[in-house]
RNA sequence: GGGGGCGUAGCUCAGUUUGGUUAGAGCACUCGACUGUCACUCGAGAGGUCGCGGGUUCGAGCCCCGUCGCUCCCGCCA
């Protein structure tokens, strides 16, 4: 299949059954060994390595000379016969190790300068620094590890397209030059040449366009969508990233979730993993109550509990004042945690404090005795109620949930890490749903959308609490794997009046303002909108997880650094002043 | 915007604790030897703005100040 005019076979697929064939190969010199009379070259292409053997019995003197002189990473074409190696010359570590090519002709078609960083590494030899790998990306991408990652990425994309297309989903494209959105992340802006002072934005997601597709009657849509967000980076966050974006009409939440389960099943299967056909569901409220976060890692227990009623019976000042202030005392039991030193538990407390908690209360039960600041306040009833086994350590935070939950979440994760409770082979998929519709600033009381402003609230909540939107839950859902969010979505608002009310609740009360910012969505909804909803998956993150790569940069061909630069091609750059003038722009500040 | 780590030969690193002769090693590179290697082996050689700028000192890779780059985390990411 990979044969061309210049080559008959790829290097890495030659086997014993090819013995006797005359082949033409093309590839990169991975390594070479010049033994004087004999020269061996490991020739590499994206399928793997094969050994070329050059010797006076079958190679011309000029061929031998060329083979001895060619530098690593040069591109050569060669012709030769596939021969079986003698038993003691077989290399069991090579896929092609049972054969070699007796070279009869060799041409160096792409001589290479000495590479700035090694492509072929010795066993145990470290990789070059990432900065250099990014600067010389053309070399780094030659490494089999990165080639494998990008090949897997390709396969995952093909599976995605086949899976969705087979189910009637249409792959439709949306603009890259779009309208700036006032909410959410910072936009990348693109100045308009023909309209002085006006700007396009690169899309943060195709959200509004895909809802409009639903209004148009394209009732099943998907897109492998490039999205852009001008925010600071992380190992798992790039300014430009790829989403699998999905939307469908005449659906309810479970329709979308069933599709999500099927698609992720197909992707994980492609990467060689078996996963359950159905994911567990958990409410946001339960996730926060029992795990302290909205994307719990269920590979281990250490569930949180509310210990308020026990502490209510204890005359302990710290918890007393918290309870009196309306807060709760929540915590967890860590089996075996009593063996930790004072210093180790102090480190846990530091974690809790860094997450905003005032402290981390501890109660040790070891050698039949209880100790910790609480110990002398314990009643017999309380002792029994805590239910600590010998060797257990109980940890508590007495604070409002918005402080205690994130603090206990971090403590829980660190305890699991220390106790090595995490089975890396386990894949715990989970759907978290019934998110609150709004997040309320606990000082100003202002509402912001937890998901986005197009998400439909739970009808039951609107009925039960018509005047208390802060209590509404949203028809939103996230798919979580082992504590990582893979994707999320919602049932959308399809009633234009409701959408308008939603904007008002979010502080865009002025109708003219709503029309100016979101008129193109409202018009679409008014023109007859079906009930619809969807989901979007972070494709780079999925490719990272399935390839086992430690960073998003290892599954993206040309990624940005944490300062949002491309070291390879060198972007961004200053541009000539005439170019700015054509765009009606002037740069201010120290570089102007 | 804030905090931590790193920056010495083309690459990976040692040297910085306690300032002191000419800054070292492995790999890669160049030259030479070698007919069964597969991280070939052996011999020789070349290769340095110790990220950059300033300061302290008789003397700075090492100490101080600043700055740049990469990276991890917090903020941020509807």
């Amino acid at each position: 299949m990979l044969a061309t005019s210049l080559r008959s076979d790829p290097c890495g697929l030659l086997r014993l059954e090819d013995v006797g064939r005359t082949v033409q190969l093309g590839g990169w010199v991975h390594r070479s060994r010049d033994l004087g009379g004999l020269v061996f070259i490991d020739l590499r292409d994206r399928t793997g390595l094969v050994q070329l053997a050059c010797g006076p019995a079958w190679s011309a003197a000029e061929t031998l000379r060329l083979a001895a002189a060619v530098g690593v990473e040069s591109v050569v074409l060669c012709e030769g016969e596939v021969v079986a190696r003698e038993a003691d010359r077989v290399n069991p570590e090579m896929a092609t190790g049972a054969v070699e090519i007796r070279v009869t002709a060799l041409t160096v078609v792409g001589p290479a300068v000495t590479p700035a960083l090694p492509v072929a590494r010795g066993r145990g030899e470290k990789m070059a620094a990432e900065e250099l790998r990014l600067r010389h990306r053309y070399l780094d991408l030659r490494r089999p590890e990165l080639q494998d990652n990008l090949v897997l990425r390709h396969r995952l994309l093909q599976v995605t397209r086949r899976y969705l297309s087979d189910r009637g989903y249409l792959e439709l494209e949306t603009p890259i030059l779009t309208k700036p959105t006032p909410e959410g992340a910072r936009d990348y802006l693109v100045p308009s040449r023909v309209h002085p002072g006006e700007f396009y934005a690169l899309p943060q997601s195709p959200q509004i366009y895909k809802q409009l597709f639903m209004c148009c009657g394209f009732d099943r849509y998907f897109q492998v969508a490039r999205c852009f967000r001008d925010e600071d980076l992380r190992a798992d966050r790039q300014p430009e990233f790829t989403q699998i974006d999905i939307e469908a009409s005449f659906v309810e939440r479970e329709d979308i979730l069933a599709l999500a389960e099927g698609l992720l099943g197909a992707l994980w299967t492609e990467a060689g993993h078996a996963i359950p056909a159905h994911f567990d569901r958990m409410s946001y409220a339960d996730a926060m109550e029992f795990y302290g976060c909205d994307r719990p890692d269920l590979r281990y227990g250490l569930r949180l509990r509310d210990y308020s009623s026990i502490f209510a019976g204890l005359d302990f000042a710290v918890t007393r004042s918290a309870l009196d202030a309306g807060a709760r005392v929540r915590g967890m039991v860590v089996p075996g945690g009593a063996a930790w030193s004072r210093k180790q538990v102090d480190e846990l407390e530091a974690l809790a404090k860094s997450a905003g908690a005032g402290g981390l209360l501890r109660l040790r039960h070891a050698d039949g005795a209880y100790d910790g600041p609480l110990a002398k306040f314990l009643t017999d009833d309380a002792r029994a109620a805590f239910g600590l086994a010998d060797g257990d350590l109980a940890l508590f935070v007495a604070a409002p949930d918005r402080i205690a939950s994130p603090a206990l979440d971090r403590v829980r994760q660190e305890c699991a890490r220390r106790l090595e409770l995490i089975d890396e082979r386990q894949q715990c998929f989970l759907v978290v749903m019934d998110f609150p519709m709004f997040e309320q600033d606990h000082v100003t009381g202002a509402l912001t959308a937890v998901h986005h402003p197009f998400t439909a609230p739970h009808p039951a909540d609107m009925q039960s609490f018509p005047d208390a939107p802060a209590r509404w839950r949203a028809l939103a859902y996230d798919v979580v794997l082992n504590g990582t969010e893979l994707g999320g979505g919602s049932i959308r608002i399809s009633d234009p009046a409701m959408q308008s009310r939603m904007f008002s609740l979010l502080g865009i009360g002025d109708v003219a303002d709503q029309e100016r910012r979101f008129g193109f969505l409202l018009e679409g909804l008014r023109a007859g909108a079906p009930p619809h909803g969807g989901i979007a998956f972070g494709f780079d993150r999925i490719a990272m997880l399935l390839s086992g790569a430690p960073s998003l940069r290892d599954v993206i061909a040309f990624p940005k650094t944490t300062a949002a630069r491309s070291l390879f091609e060198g972007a961004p750059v200053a541009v000539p002043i005439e170019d700015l003038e054509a765009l009606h722009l002037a740069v201010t500040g120290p570089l102007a």
Side-chain angles (χ1 to χ4, degrees):
Chain A
M1 189 179 72
L2 295 172
T4 63
S5 313
L6 295 179
R7 72 171 183 191
S8 62
D9 295 83
C11 300
L13 303 182
L14 294 169
R15 295 293 183 273
L16 277 176
E17 49 266 37
D18 297 301
V19 166
R21 291 180 52 214
T22 296
V23 293
Q24 292 83 40
L25 303 179
W28 285 258
V29 174
H30 191 66
R31 245 194 280 274
S32 65
R33 295 171 291 280
D34 178 359
L35 274 61
L38 291 175
V39 180
F40 297 98
I41 290 175
D42 292 338
L43 194 65
R44 184 192 71 233
D45 64 21
R46 73 172 162 103
T47 63
L49 295 172
V50 70
Q51 174 166 279
L52 308 183
C54 305
W58 59 86
S59 311
E62 175 64 7
T63 300
L64 262 176
R65 195 192 61 77
L66 271 177
V70 65
V72 292
E73 295 310 317
S74 296
V75 178
V76 301
L77 288 174
C78 78
E79 184 172 290
E81 186 189 356
V82 182
V83 299
R85 299 201 201 178
E86 288 172 28
D88 59 337
R89 295 176 187 169
V90 167
N91 184 347
E93 289 176 22
M94 262 177 125
T96 60
V99 298
E100 67 186 11
I101 311 301
R102 290 206 166 161
V103 175
T104 49
L106 184 80
T107 330
V108 180
V109 291
V113 297
T114 302
L117 49 89
V119 175
R121 274 178 304 143
R123 267 190 280 279
E125 188 180 335
K126 285 187 182 175
M127 271 189 291
E130 187 155 20
E131 181 176 358
L132 293 160
R133 292 175 45 207
L134 292 171
R135 183 154 285 140
H136 305 287
R137 196 62 167 174
Y138 54 93
L139 287 172
D140 199 34
L141 285 173
R142 291 182 183 184
R143 290 169 40 232
E145 297 95 319
L146 285 194
Q147 296 227 329
D148 288 348
N149 289 353
L150 292 186
V151 168
L152 176 66
R153 187 181 171 114
H154 157 81
R155 285 163 45 206
L156 296 174
L157 279 176
Q158 302 319 306
V159 165
T160 300
R161 291 195 155 105
R162 194 180 327 129
Y163 185 90
L164 292 169
S165 180
D166 285 352
R167 281 154 188 78
Y169 285 81
L170 303 173
E171 183 169 10
L172 302 174
E173 292 166 285
T174 53
I176 292 297
L177 295 176
T178 74
K179 184 174 179 177
T181 52
E183 301 195 30
R186 229 184 322 262
D187 285 319
Y188 276 99
L189 293 175
V190 179
S192 164
R193 175 181 55 84
V194 288
H195 302 290
E198 297 183 7
F199 295 83
Y200 303 96
L202 305 182
Q204 296 182 29
S205 91
Q207 179 62 33
I208 292 179
Y209 295 104
K210 68 173 173 174
Q211 290 190 240
L212 289 168
F213 279 147
M214 297 304 108
C215 296
C216 298
F218 296 114
D219 59 359
R220 292 185 169 201
Y221 144 93
F222 84 97
Q223 184 177 193
V224 178
R226 198 62 70 84
C227 303
F228 307 85
R229 293 179 188 174
D230 187 5
E231 297 292 347
D232 287 347
L233 281 69
R234 290 282 190 284
D236 61 353
R237 223 155 68 192
Q238 283 273 308
E240 156 175 23
F241 60 100
T242 302
Q243 280 188 352
I244 301 172
D245 195 43
I246 298 171
E247 195 81 1
S249 294
F250 307 110
V251 291
E252 294 190 321
R253 183 168 65 189
E254 283 302 324
D255 296 302
I256 298 295
L257 292 177
L259 181 76
E261 288 168 337
L263 174 60
L264 293 177
L267 291 172
W268 259 250
T269 300
E270 178 68 20
H273 303 283
I275 69 167
H278 183 76
F279 305 160
D280 284 341
R281 310 284 194 257
M282 183 183 291
S283 71
Y284 170 88
D286 282 353
M288 295 305 288
E289 181 65 21
F290 299 121
Y291 301 97
C293 78
D294 62 0
R295 45 181 168 86
D297 187 343
L298 298 186
R299 288 175 296 178
Y300 53 93
L302 301 178
R303 276 165 59 111
L304 310 183
R305 260 182 69 192
D306 182 355
Y307 293 90
S308 300
S309 62
I310 304 176
F311 280 94
L314 301 183
D315 194 20
F316 187 64
V318 175
T319 52
R320 165 71 49 216
S321 61
L323 290 168
D324 287 348
R328 301 195 289 164
V329 183
R330 293 160 66 206
M332 75 189 86
V333 174
V334 185
W340 288 338
S341 69
R342 168 84 189 254
K343 176 164 169 272
Q344 286 175 299
V345 183
D346 284 348
E347 285 166 3
L348 288 175
E349 177 162 36
L351 263 185
K353 285 182 170 170
S354 74
L360 185 68
L361 262 174
R362 55 194 82 173
L363 179 63
R364 261 176 98 244
H365 185 199
D367 307 322
Y370 288 81
D371 63 69
L374 279 172
K376 59 175 178 257
F377 296 93
L378 287 180
T379 62
D380 287 344
D381 284 351
R383 246 188 293 273
F386 281 126
L388 296 188
D390 206 83
D392 284 358
L393 171 71
L395 299 167
F396 310 98
V397 172
D401 289 351
R402 69 181 162 78
I403 290 169
S405 291
L408 288 168
D409 172 34
R410 293 186 66 164
V411 171
R412 175 176 174 268
Q413 290 190 42
E414 175 60 19
C415 287
R417 198 189 60 77
R418 283 191 193 176
L419 295 169
E420 296 178 3
L421 298 178
I422 302 171
D423 178 356
E424 295 292 345
R425 294 160 306 177
Q426 222 181 335
Q427 311 252 20
C428 283
F429 287 88
L430 176 72
V431 173
V432 178
M433 53 194 207
D434 296 331
F435 281 79
M437 187 70 224
F438 302 102
E439 198 169 13
Q440 189 160 27
D441 188 300
H442 71 276
V443 179
T444 66
L447 299 178
T448 51
V450 167
H451 190 54
H452 56 55
F454 320 112
T455 299
H458 252 279
D461 292 350
M462 285 194 286
Q463 209 147 36
S464 305
F465 322 110
D467 303 316
R471 299 178 64 178
W472 295 355
R473 291 168 300 161
L475 291 174
Y477 32 81
D478 278 358
V479 179
V480 173
L481 169 64
N482 300 344
T484 300
E485 183 193 328
L486 298 180
S490 62
I491 298 299
R492 326 297 184 190
I493 296 169
S494 51
D495 170 15
M498 180 63 218
Q499 183 64 71
S500 181
R501 186 176 172 207
M502 184 59 60
F503 290 139
S504 300
L505 288 169
L506 291 168
I508 315 172
D510 182 60
V511 173
D513 208 19
Q514 291 180 9
E515 293 295 334
R516 187 176 57 76
R517 291 158 122 174
F518 298 108
F520 65 125
L521 172 66
L522 291 168
E523 280 178 27
L525 294 178
R526 281 187 212 111
H532 63 283
I535 195 163
F537 295 100
F539 181 72
D540 308 283
R541 196 172 289 182
I542 287 174
M544 174 175 89
L545 289 171
L546 290 179
S547 67
S551 159
L552 233 40
R553 295 183 293 272
D554 286 345
V555 295
I556 295 174
F558 299 103
K560 305 284 189 286
T561 68
T562 52
R565 273 188 189 284
S566 296
L567 296 182
F568 175 46
E569 70 271 39
V573 288
V575 297
I577 193 105
E578 312 87 74
D579 294 0
L580 290 177
E581 283 166 355
L583 294 168
H584 324 285
L585 293 178
V587 175
T588 60
L591 291 175

